[in-house]
Amino acid sequence: MNIIRVKDYDEMSQKACEMIISVVRSTEKPVLGLATGSTPEGLYKCLIEQYQSNKVSFDNVTTFNLDEYVGLEGNDPNSYRYFMDSNFFDHINIQKNNTHVPNGIAKDLEEEVLQYEELIKENGAIDMQVLGIGLNGHIGFNEPGTAFSSRTHVVELDESTRNANARFFSSIDEVPTQAITAGIETIMESKKIVLLVSGEAKAETVARLLNGEITENFPASILHKHPDVTIIADEAALSQI
Ligand code: GLP
């Protein structure tokens, strides 16, 4: 794994922004894998600014998001579809029907997860997958214990994840108990992966990622086996290394 050490959140976002732009410029029909959460917000801001100053176009870009809560409509402010539209897609020239987020209100969730996999395959492969990391090492919503061989599937969210994400909801009771997530194997099939980490709260997680063993109990540890992973981490996130 290639580690880029940066000063702070802004520099992390800037570096990730440069990497994405370089993929978009050098690929004929770029396919990006995208993540939600507080971590990539600065990256999306930077990409919007670059688009506004005519440095990049998203006209021919296709995107696949990692995950979505089960039970939330796309216009629910806590859904990941809403997050992506309001933080990114509504501000750039991407064609909306080329943006994909799992459908958390699909009648048949098992059918939805299969279709999502199919759709990724139809588009070739993900050229660059952006990842954040949960405190317990989850990537997407693949919680500890998820098989490394998993494909897109429905998950029961860990209590720790629901607690960590409760800050976006008015109460913990409103945080969904299930989500759809791209599987570990699905993520590992991406050509390039860039993992963003910022802040002291993630320092222990980063230390375990870099120094710990590869185990399904810590999903992100699988990234050691991917041939092209870059971790962009700030000084606070690397403070326990
Ligand atoms: C969420 C998302 C993940 C994200 C992680 C970290 O639960 N499902 O995709 O990477 O938690 O979020 P944050 O960036 O807000 O710390």
Side-chain angles (χ1 to χ4, degrees):
M1 292 197 287
N2 174 28
I3 302 170
I4 302 181
R5 187 189 179 95
V6 293
K7 193 161 58 65
D8 54 18
Y9 181 86
D10 286 346
E11 202 183 333
M12 174 196 77
S13 306
Q14 186 65 38
K15 279 265 177 292
C17 186
E18 286 164 16
M19 285 177 75
I20 295 276
I21 289 175
S22 139
V23 169
V24 169
R25 284 198 187 133
S26 61
T27 314
E28 200 185 329
K29 288 181 93 184
V31 182
L32 301 177
L34 300 178
T36 51
S38 309
T39 309
E41 277 179 25
L43 159 65
Y44 298 141
K45 271 202 190 101
C46 173
L47 289 171
I48 292 167
E49 281 163 17
Q50 295 296 306
Y51 161 70
Q52 285 170 344
S53 46
N54 293 320
K55 303 266 171 50
V56 63
S57 167
F58 295 92
D59 191 35
N60 60 346
V61 172
T62 298
T63 63
F64 285 93
N65 263 78
L66 283 170
D67 45 19
E68 178 61 285
Y69 288 116
V70 167
L72 299 191
E73 306 253 1
N75 60 4
D76 183 315
N78 280 313
S79 74
Y80 286 168
R81 161 52 76 181
Y82 187 94
F83 176 99
M84 290 310 299
D85 286 348
S86 54
N87 284 289
F88 192 31
F89 300 146
D90 285 349
H91 309 283
I92 55 172
N93 66 335
I94 199 161
Q95 299 181 42
K96 255 311 174 54
N97 53 1
N98 287 342
T99 69
H100 306 284
V101 180
N103 178 8
I105 54 157
K107 280 219 179 70
D108 186 342
L109 292 173
E110 285 314 313
E111 185 55 33
E112 170 65 18
V113 298
L114 292 176
Q115 272 178 19
Y116 205 68
E117 285 279 334
E118 259 321 295
L119 212 52
I120 297 176
K121 277 204 196 92
E122 278 169 24
N123 280 277
I126 289 173
D127 292 299
M128 179 171 273
Q129 173 68 59
V130 176
L131 291 181
I133 186 168
L135 290 173
N136 61 6
H138 74 233
I139 47 177
F141 267 135
N142 292 289
E143 299 284 21
T146 307
F148 282 158
S149 60
S150 59
R151 312 291 312 184
T152 303
H153 61 292
V154 177
V155 290
E156 300 293 324
L157 296 176
D158 264 19
E159 272 321 290
S160 66
T161 299
R162 293 185 67 240
N163 283 324
N165 291 359
R167 65 189 193 276
F168 299 108
F169 294 79
S170 43
S171 80
I172 178 80
D173 298 337
E174 283 180 30
V175 184
T177 56
Q178 289 186 314
I180 296 175
T181 182
I184 304 268
E185 205 171 79
T186 323
I187 293 171
M188 288 292 280
E189 283 170 1
S190 312
K191 293 182 191 162
K192 291 175 190 289
I193 295 178
V194 57
L195 172 70
L196 310 182
V197 211
S198 168
E200 209 173 338
K202 297 270 173 80
E204 213 180 305
T205 306
V206 175
R208 184 164 174 199
L209 171 62
L210 296 181
N211 301 325
E213 51 166 348
I214 300 178
T215 164
E216 289 179 348
N217 292 326
F218 193 78
S221 61
I222 189 69
L223 296 176
H224 284 284
K225 296 204 164 168
H226 190 283
D228 194 341
V229 174
T230 301
I231 301 179
I232 310 178
D234 64 12
E235 283 170 8
L238 290 170
S239 59
Q240 287 189 30
I241 302 298

